[in-house]
């Protein structure tokens, strides 16, 4: 009887662990990235095909830039849980370029990510946050033409 109960509890905790981890994994979305006239990327939250929520505002919590083989190159944290009276909040609407105060160079594979929350939600609650990530490379050929390569094309 004790063995059955122990086995039942072990299996139950294992299932809770698996399903708990599964449901709390952050879902990663892909932001839109296009090149601006100055050759730097414009990274934004995509505009939906149906324009019902275009004006929705998003708090940007953190922004980061990574380079493969090097690690984190730059990070900005806009979330201040203590908020010592300093207005540190930063928000955007869909399609608006997000501030990445980093000068991206040509022919380097970058990985960017940022976290957002719908404006007015409590960022300290994990369920309201969304993680965005994407790889890109600004490719400049021998003729000086510049184009943007995304995801698996950035590595090739």
């Amino acid at each position: 009887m004790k063995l059955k109960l122990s086995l039942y509890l072990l299996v139950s905790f294992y299932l809770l662990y698996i399903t708990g981890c599964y449901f709390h994994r952050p879902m990663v979305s892909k932001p839109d990235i296009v090149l601006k006239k100055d050759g730097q990327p414009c990274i934004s939250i995509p505009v939906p095909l149906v324009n019902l929520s275009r004006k929705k505002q998003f708090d940007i919590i953190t922004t980061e830039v990574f380079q493969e083989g090097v690690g984190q190159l730059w990070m900005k944290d806009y979330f201040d849980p203590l908020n010592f009276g300093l207005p540190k909040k930063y928000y955007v609407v869909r399609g608006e370029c997000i501030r990445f105060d980093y000068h991206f160079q040509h022919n380097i594979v970058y990985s960017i990510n940022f976290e957002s929350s719908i404006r007015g939600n409590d960022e300290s609650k994990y369920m309201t946050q969304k993680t965005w990530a994407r790889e890109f490379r600004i490719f400049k050929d021998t003729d000086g033409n510049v184009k943007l390569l995304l995801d698996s094309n950035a590595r090739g």
Side-chain angles (χ1 to χ4, degrees):
M1 181 70 174
K2 277 188 169 182
L3 182 61
K4 276 187 173 180
L5 181 60
S6 296
L7 188 56
Y8 175 76
L9 288 174
L10 180 64
V11 170
S12 296
F13 284 123
Y14 184 70
L15 287 173
L16 284 173
Y17 175 74
I18 291 172
T19 57
C21 288
Y22 176 77
F23 288 118
H24 289 98
R25 259 186 229 159
M27 195 162 168
V28 177
S29 300
K30 289 185 178 182
D32 282 344
I33 304 177
V34 296
L35 285 180
K36 298 185 290 188
K37 289 181 182 178
D38 67 359
Q40 289 295 297
C42 170
I43 301 159
S44 64
I45 294 173
V47 176
L49 295 176
V50 178
N51 246 354
L52 298 176
S53 60
R54 180 169 174 75
K55 296 293 184 189
K56 188 182 290 184
Q57 296 177 339
F58 294 84
D59 284 320
I60 302 301
I61 301 166
T62 60
T63 51
E64 297 175 293
V65 177
F66 296 88
Q67 182 181 343
E68 184 178 330
V70 176
Q72 186 179 54
L73 301 173
W74 178 85
M75 181 199 166
K76 179 71 174 176
D77 184 10
Y78 295 99
F79 177 65
D80 184 2
L82 302 176
N83 195 14
F84 293 110
L86 302 172
K88 201 173 182 184
K89 295 279 187 170
Y90 169 53
Y91 66 92
V92 296
V93 295
R94 293 179 188 271
E96 181 181 352
C97 296
I98 295 171
R99 244 187 327 227
F100 277 82
D101 297 326
Y102 184 83
H103 182 76
F104 295 95
Q105 299 176 15
H106 298 154
N107 300 323
I108 294 175
V109 177
Y110 291 101
S111 177
I112 58 97
N113 67 47
F114 62 94
E115 288 188 25
S116 70
S117 178
I118 296 173
R119 189 153 174 84
N121 285 345
D122 185 357
E123 288 94 348
S124 66
K125 293 185 178 168
Y126 182 73
M127 298 296 286
T128 67
Q129 294 181 10
K130 189 168 191 176
T131 301
W132 303 82
R134 198 147 197 198
E135 288 185 336
F136 70 91
R137 176 168 52 121
I138 303 168
F139 178 73
K140 186 173 187 178
D141 65 16
T142 55
D143 296 331
N145 299 320
V146 178
K147 70 178 185 177
L148 183 67
L149 302 174
L150 300 173
D151 306 322
S152 60
N153 293 329
R155 296 182 171 280

